[in-house]
Amino acid sequence: MEMNAQYTSFVAVGDSFTEGMSDGLPDGSYRGWADLLAARLAAASPGFRYANLAVRGKLIGQIADEQCGPAASMGADLVTLVGGLNDVLRPRCEVEQVCARFEEAAALLARGGGQLVLMRSPGRQGPVLERFRPRMEQLFAWIDEVAARHGAVVVDLYASRALSDPRLWADDRLHLNAEGHRRVAEAVWQTLGLPAAADWDAPLPAAAPPGWGARRTADLRFAREHLVPWIGRRLTGRSSGDGRPAKRPELLPYEG
């Protein structure tokens, strides 16, 4: 499929990043970059259809087994796959196995015939990124190879300096906030060869860093509200996505 085409249907698969956490809406649901991208594509294509099969907490094997078959069968002319980061952020991870399952997922989606879009996920500045950087970069290098083999395009968010800014991340330090998701939607839009509306990687205005007291308060809140529950799920083998249905399980006309 040629770039800069008119896309009439879009299906997104993945985990919390594609579900839209933490771009919260007043009703408690999440919007996110995929919804924002769908809205813009729908404005340019009457009758545009959209499905989002992403579920928070999913590992790449679960994405491959549960989402990619249904997504490929939809025959959408645009498909996005983002996954694997939940795997490499776990204490124990065989990155080679993650890469193999990622290629299985990409190959299945590519057989659906639409333009496949992959991503090198963004990383937030801080100790977590540094600890897991080697695993992430191994996965991202593999994603580039997978894209070349399956005719996919890659949106390189990992190289973005703006998206590493903590101000574009939510309080849980794992998900982008509303502005971060807006920038990702613009990055995908431009990667598809569509006319730019803004510089998605423009740096945020300079600002004085928060003081010691503010940082400690934020650290304590993060530990209490996000880190401790996350550790509890790991210890008990639970996931935040257990029992949760897909966000938009059917390829239906988009209504914003």
Side-chain angles (χ1 to χ4, degrees), residues 13 53 63-73 81 104-106 108-109:
V13 303
L53 307 186
I63 293 171
D65 294 339
E66 299 168 9
Q67 300 180 26
C68 292
S73 70
L81 165 63
E104 289 177 25
L108 181 54
L109 292 172

Side-chain angles (χ1 to χ4, degrees), residues 56-188:
R56 67 193 68 173
K58 293 299 182 181
L59 303 175
I60 188 59
Q62 295 171 310
I63 293 171
D65 294 339
E66 299 168 9
Q67 300 180 26
C68 292
S73 70
M74 292 178 182
D77 53 26
L78 177 65
V79 183
T80 60
L81 165 63
V82 188
L85 210 60
N86 283 333
D87 300 78
V88 301
L89 292 178
R90 292 196 166 204
R92 296 180 181 179
C93 171
E94 295 293 337
V95 182
E96 292 78 9
Q97 294 180 11
V98 176
C99 290
R101 294 309 312 270
F102 188 95
E103 180 149 28
E104 289 177 25
L108 181 54
L109 292 172
R111 289 197 291 271
Q115 174 62 61
L116 178 60
V117 177
L118 310 178
M119 294 189 198
R120 292 158 57 97
S121 302
R124 183 185 187 275
Q125 293 174 2
V128 173
L129 174 63
E130 294 310 314
R131 178 181 178 186
F132 294 103
R133 186 187 294 275
R135 292 181 184 180
M136 293 170 63
E137 293 185 347
Q138 183 179 347
L139 173 62
F140 295 159
W142 182 254
I143 287 173
D144 289 342
E145 296 181 23
V146 169
R149 283 193 287 272
H150 296 288
V153 296
V154 179
V155 184
D156 189 3
L157 306 174
Y158 181 67
S160 166
R161 297 189 66 181
L163 287 176
S164 69
D165 191 315
R167 290 175 290 174
L168 291 181
W169 293 72
D171 290 342
D172 65 6
R173 305 181 184 181
L174 286 175
H175 301 103
L176 295 171
N177 60 23
E179 174 60 14
H181 279 282
R182 186 196 67 77
R183 288 173 179 249
V184 171
E186 180 67 27
V188 180

Side-chain angles (χ1 to χ4, degrees), residues 8-9 19 34 37 41 43 47-48 64 96 117 131 139 145 150 157 170 191 198 202 206 212 225 238 245 248:
T8 62
S9 54
E19 185 184 343
L37 178 64
L41 293 170
F48 180 84
E96 292 78 9
V117 177
R131 178 181 178 186
L139 173 62
E145 296 181 23
H150 296 288
L157 306 174
T191 300
W212 183 90
E225 297 180 3
R238 294 178 293 117
R248 293 176 58 100

